[in-house]
Amino acid sequence: MKFHVVTIFPEFFRGPFEHGVVARAKAAGVLDIQVHDLRTWTSDRHKTVDDRPFGGGEGMLLKAQPVFDAVESIWPERTLGEAGRKVVLLSAQGRRFTQSVAREYAALESVLLLCGRYEGVDERVAEHLADEELSIGDYVLSGGELGAAVVIDAVARLIPGVLGNEASAVQESFTTAGLLDCPQWTRPAEFRGWKVPDVLLGGNHEEIRKWRIEAAREKTRRMRPDLLNEA
Ligand code: 4FV
C-alpha cells in the first residue's frame, strides 16, 4: 500500500514512521510512504502557499493552486472518485475517521493525504480536488499532519502481513460488533493486592471466551454507550 502526504512541514514525518509496526511494514515492503513539500509547487521566490481569506477574518488560508498542482503532479492521470485510490483532505469539517474507515482505506491501492495549515484550505480543494474530507476528532489542530500520521498508523496495522499475528487485528476494539476490547491482564496474577479475575487463570477457554464478551459489553456500556446504540 502506498501513502502520499502533501505538507508544508515534511520534516514533521521524520519521527512517527521510524518505529514499531509502521517501520516494520515499510521494511517488509508492504507499505510505502512518500512525503512531499507543498512549497515545491510554488513559483514565487517566497514560495508562498497562503493568503488572506476573502471577506476578511483572522489568519491565513492555504491557496488552491499549489495544492492542485501537487496532486496533479503526483497523480497526473487521476480522476475524482477513481477506484483504488483516494485524495483525502484532513480537516476539522471532515467525515469522522473510525476503525471502519481505516479498514476501507486498507483495501485501497494508494491514498494521498493533504495536510491543512493556518486557518484552513481554500474551499475549492475540498469541492473540486479531494475525494473526501476526513477528521480525526472534534477538536482543532494546528495542522493536518497529526491527522495524517494517525490515519497511516491505523491503516498500516490492517495491511495483511503487517501485524505479526493477524488474529490481534480481529480481536480488538471496534471490530467484534463495534464493542470496545475486553479488559486484559498480564503477570503477576496479584499486584499490590489487586487480583486477576479467576476465570482467566482457570484455563477453561470457553468460559474465558464468554467472560471476555460480557466484560467487553460491560466496559462498552460504561465507557462508550454510544457504540451500543450504533451496534
Ligand atoms: C483536523 C482534525 C484539524 C484545522 C485548521 C488544521 C486543522 C488547520 N484535521 N482532523 N480535527 N485540522 O483540526 O483532521 O488547517
Side-chain angles (χ1 to χ4, degrees):
M1 174 161 195
K2 189 165 190 151
F3 280 98
H4 290 280
V5 181
V6 175
T7 169
I8 64 170
F9 295 129
E11 64 284 357
F12 174 96
F13 292 93
R14 281 229 196 85
F17 307 138
E18 309 318 315
H19 318 281
V21 167
V22 175
R24 273 207 309 279
K26 287 166 47 178
V30 293
L31 177 66
D32 177 26
I33 303 168
Q34 299 299 320
V35 178
H36 308 268
D37 185 343
L38 180 63
R39 295 185 194 281
T40 309
W41 291 278
T42 59
S43 47
D44 66 308
R45 66 191 172 81
H46 299 298
K47 297 185 177 300
T48 304
V49 292
D50 63 322
D51 203 341
R52 289 177 290 104
F54 277 116
E58 289 316 301
M60 302 291 272
L61 294 178
L62 273 185
K63 294 163 63 70
Q65 173 266 321
V67 182
F68 274 75
D69 290 352
V71 172
E72 290 160 3
S73 157
I74 296 165
W75 282 349
E77 72 300 332
R78 174 250 178 186
T79 53
L80 258 176
E82 185 183 310
R85 53 186 181 174
K86 265 191 180 191
V87 172
V88 175
L89 171 63
L90 278 303
S91 92
Q93 295 78 35
R95 168 168 78 135
R96 173 61 69 80
F97 182 59
T98 63
Q99 191 67 11
S100 67
V101 176
R103 282 195 291 272
E104 191 189 304
Y105 283 16
L108 296 172
E109 170 213 321
S110 190
V111 174
L112 189 156
L113 300 168
L114 298 171
C115 302
R117 272 281 158 177
Y118 310 104
E119 300 319 303
V121 184
D122 184 295
E123 189 62 18
R124 289 166 283 200
V125 169
E127 279 175 332
H128 306 294
L129 183 64
D131 290 297
E132 71 172 340
E133 288 185 81
L134 194 70
S135 170
I136 63 165
D138 294 346
Y139 36 78
V140 180
L141 301 170
S142 58
E145 286 77 10
L146 283 169
V150 164
V151 169
I152 291 173
D153 188 282
V155 173
R157 306 174 68 258
L158 301 176
I159 300 168
V162 167
L163 282 186
N165 51 1
E166 303 308 323
S168 65
V170 177
Q171 173 47 48
E172 61 186 9
S173 292
F174 313 112
T175 44
T176 40
L179 292 178
L180 295 180
D181 204 355
C182 62
Q184 306 212 56
W185 292 260
T186 187
R187 288 181 296 189
E190 178 164 349
F191 173 70
R192 296 187 180 182
W194 300 310
K195 294 187 173 61
V196 173
D198 293 337
V199 63
L200 298 178
L201 308 174
N204 178 327
H205 295 296
E206 182 50 22
E207 279 307 305
I208 290 169
R209 190 187 64 75
K210 283 204 300 256
W211 183 89
R212 281 179 165 164
I213 289 172
E214 191 37 47
R217 279 211 190 90
E218 191 281 328
K219 183 130 193 186
T220 308
R221 250 192 309 279
R222 190 154 39 85
M223 305 300 285
R224 293 289 309 278
D226 58 297
L227 290 174
L228 294 174
N229 310 339
E230 278 163 23

